[in-house]
Amino acid sequence: TVFFISFASAKSFVIQRTSQSTSSLSSIAPPSSLQMSNQQQQQQQDAAATTVGFIGCGTIAAAIATGLATQSSVSIDSISLSRRSESKSSALTAQFPNLVTVTDSNQDIVDRCDLIFVCVLPQQTSEILQSLTFDPARHTVVSLVSTSTLAGLAADTALPKE
């Protein structure tokens, strides 16, 4: 599964999800809403519902979680947040009570979610990721840590680079 996230501004982005293997964005864009009935659109979204987790909940994580909660391109089943910033995680829970949950356990987030955003300070990344158990068949990890490398993330999570 591939997620394309295109940022139009600091508060606006478009997300698309596909299960096809291809290198051309135009060939994997979802069918036009004009070509699909509302029922077909809902069935497509329900079949592809995603569980999203954020390890760390600072400003960037809160902005992405808000964007995911308010967009309609990808069906989001749930969003789990760590309690890193109590004010931000509490505000998201209040704003999206049927979608967002907050937990004190990063492993709980990994256990609940398919797509994991890592939003911690650079000096915390390795220690936090190495303490967690990921499932290579299930998890996709997206790092928002400025100093992360693909090799480092693969080593810390024991997930393949591909």
Side-chain angles (χ1 to χ4, degrees):
T1 300
V2 176
F3 289 89
F4 290 96
I5 303 175
S6 304
F7 288 89
S9 71
K11 294 184 177 183
S12 165
F13 65 90
V14 175
I15 184 168
Q16 296 176 324
R17 177 185 175 157
T18 181
S19 296
Q20 301 171 359
S21 292
T22 181
S23 60
S24 171
L25 179 59
S26 61
S27 68
I28 61 172
S32 165
S33 59
L34 297 176
Q35 298 170 346
M36 293 173 46
S37 70
N38 288 341
Q39 182 180 9
Q40 287 172 320
Q41 287 179 16
Q42 187 62 46
Q43 288 172 345
Q44 181 185 34
Q45 288 180 348
D46 290 345
T50 301
T51 53
V52 180
F54 289 85
I55 297 174
C57 187
T59 302
I60 294 171
I64 293 173
T66 299
L68 288 171
T70 57
Q71 59 79 43
S72 60
S73 298
V74 175
S75 180
I76 303 295
D77 187 53
S78 66
I79 298 174
S80 296
L81 307 171
S82 66
R83 198 178 302 275
R84 176 175 170 244
S85 170
E86 182 73 37
S87 63
K88 288 179 178 39
S89 58
S90 295
L92 286 165
T93 303
Q95 189 174 1
F96 308 105
N98 296 324
L99 188 62
V100 174
T101 58
V102 178
T103 180
D104 291 319
S105 166
N106 289 330
Q107 186 62 54
D108 196 29
I109 292 170
V110 172
D111 293 344
R112 291 179 186 194
C113 301
D114 302 315
L115 178 61
I116 313 294
F117 285 86
V118 180
C119 310
V120 297
L121 297 173
Q123 61 271 25
Q124 300 171 326
T125 307
S126 287
E127 181 182 348
I128 289 172
L129 292 178
Q130 289 173 10
S131 71
L132 304 172
T133 303
F134 293 90
D135 178 358
R138 177 178 172 218
H139 290 118
T140 300
V141 174
V142 177
S143 176
L144 300 177
V145 179
S146 62
T147 58
S148 292
T149 64
L150 183 57
L153 290 170
D156 290 342
T157 61
L159 291 173
K161 292 181 189 179
E162 302 164 356

